[in-house]
Amino acid sequence: MSEASHKQALYELVCRYAQAVDQRDWAALARLFAPDAVLKGPGFSFDGVAAIVDGMNGLGRFSVTQHHVHNHLAEVDELEASAETYCVANHLYDADGVVRKLDWGIRYRDRFACIDGLWRITRRELLLDWSQDLPLQGATP
């Protein structure tokens, strides 16, 4: 497999993460990680796939999320890789009858391993660059 093919596979992997999280497809999310993977961010650290899936269930407090993935730069070294991926994550929720939208400007710092021919996330660190929380215009709860 060429370096470009590996990089495309890594990009698809981070897009599948966003899709699994937004669709609350926890089985699909679990398949994206190595068994001993770590997911860290501001105020949380989940060790192992079961803890990651359990922790991501916390997104249930939002009625809808959308993770928009862009600016993905990966470096591949045989069966390991690293990447930094930018993301804007939208989170909709109700607060006292008002629909609000919490936006996060995220940079993911990732480590990957190719296991049995498939790329898996071994470590994902969420760096929060900015956030904004505003009422959603024209929305009804």
Side-chain angles (χ1 to χ4, degrees):
M1 188 179 268
S2 71
E3 182 177 0
S5 296
H6 285 299
K7 288 183 176 186
Q8 180 62 34
L10 292 168
Y11 178 68
E12 289 179 16
L13 177 60
V14 298
C15 288
R16 289 185 196 290
Y17 170 92
Q19 184 180 53
V21 167
D22 292 338
Q23 294 178 0
R24 310 300 194 261
D25 186 343
W26 306 129
L29 182 70
R31 289 190 297 272
L32 305 177
F33 287 90
D36 59 349
V38 174
L39 175 63
K40 297 181 81 152
F44 68 88
S45 181
F46 307 129
D47 297 331
V49 174
I52 291 168
V53 170
D54 287 345
M56 296 305 286
N57 268 297
L59 289 173
R61 68 180 184 263
F62 301 107
S63 58
V64 175
T65 59
Q66 276 192 349
H67 289 71
H68 305 271
V69 176
H70 51 102
N71 292 36
H72 173 78
L73 295 174
E75 298 294 326
V76 178
D77 183 17
E78 304 214 8
L79 298 179
E80 294 186 347
S82 62
E84 183 171 77
T85 305
Y86 284 44
C87 174
V88 174
N90 311 125
H91 309 78
L92 301 186
Y93 68 100
D94 180 82
D96 300 321
V98 175
V99 178
R100 298 188 63 88
K101 183 166 80 95
L102 171 65
D103 296 327
W104 282 4
I106 296 170
R107 279 180 298 126
Y108 292 112
R109 289 206 178 133
D110 294 321
R111 302 283 307 164
F112 308 96
C114 190
I115 302 168
D116 296 327
L118 296 172
W119 285 103
R120 298 287 180 245
I121 301 167
T122 59
R123 180 178 177 83
R124 171 159 264 206
E125 184 177 4
L126 184 160
L127 303 169
L128 183 60
D129 287 337
W130 57 266
S131 67
Q132 173 178 266
D133 190 347
L134 298 169
L136 186 62
Q137 297 291 321
T140 56

